[in-house]
Amino acid sequence: MAKISEIINSIENLAPLSLSPNWDNSGWQIFLGDKEIDKVLVALTPTQDVVQQAVDQQIELIIAHHPLMFDKVNKLSVNNVNDIPVIKAIQHNIQIYSAHINLDSTKNGLADELAKLLDLKNLKPIEKMTEDTGLGRIGELE
């Protein structure tokens, strides 16, 4: 078991939220408090199906790459298909955290890992942010 804050701190130590541009919505999507948990569901996008899997398997934390919400939420409605994952997650005490652009652009993040899989050499960020970070990667194939 681990505290949710320990899990999130590990993610943010690797991929600080400061690497996310203003338009991105990395970080907490639904935060219901710090507690001990023993299962985490990791997903690309927190869709309705993903949230249902978490409900079915009694999982209290979803870590997703894509944010659940990008824009300001003025209201939630069961009549809006995009709101259903939010409503269902809250109803079942499921918290959702997103590591999006911060995980894409950090050193040893998603872009670097994909570049390693492709065995790219002489890597550099497409858009440099700091000495070691930036959006995307450009590299050479052998």
Side-chain angles (χ1 to χ4, degrees):
M1 292 190 43
K3 284 196 78 106
I4 289 176
S5 58
E6 295 168 347
I7 296 166
I8 301 309
N9 286 341
S10 294
I11 294 169
E12 291 180 359
N13 284 335
L14 171 67
L17 291 175
S18 61
L19 295 176
S20 297
N22 289 338
W23 58 263
D24 191 29
N25 195 21
S26 291
W28 282 111
Q29 305 293 291
I30 298 175
F31 178 68
L32 302 172
D34 193 16
K35 56 178 126 179
E36 296 247 340
I37 59 170
D38 58 1
K39 293 190 268 185
V40 175
L41 189 152
V42 177
L44 181 62
T45 305
T47 63
Q48 188 172 344
D49 289 339
V50 168
V51 172
Q52 187 60 53
Q53 287 176 26
V55 170
D56 294 343
Q57 296 179 39
Q58 299 179 335
I59 292 170
E60 296 176 275
L61 176 62
I62 296 171
I63 298 174
H65 181 58
H66 294 128
L68 179 61
M69 302 167 276
F70 270 105
D71 299 318
K72 178 182 171 187
V73 177
N74 293 318
K75 65 179 178 179
L76 295 171
S77 170
V78 295
N79 296 325
N80 181 341
V81 70
N82 295 324
D83 293 346
I84 292 173
V86 177
I87 294 167
K88 184 172 277 203
I90 293 170
Q91 285 174 329
H92 293 276
N93 294 312
I94 297 169
Q95 304 190 60
I96 300 177
Y97 184 90
S98 169
H100 192 222
I101 300 300
N102 57 321
L103 189 59
D104 286 337
S105 57
T106 193
K107 183 178 181 178
N108 298 318
L110 288 180
D112 284 331
E113 289 302 314
L114 287 172
K116 283 181 198 173
L117 286 172
L118 296 172
D119 201 26
L120 296 179
K121 306 296 182 207
N122 301 318
L123 288 180
K124 61 183 179 181
I126 295 170
E127 184 179 319
K128 196 171 188 176
M129 297 167 88
T130 69
E131 186 62 34
D132 294 330
T133 65
L135 294 173
R137 298 294 183 270
I138 297 173
E140 299 170 4
L141 293 167
E142 288 190 355

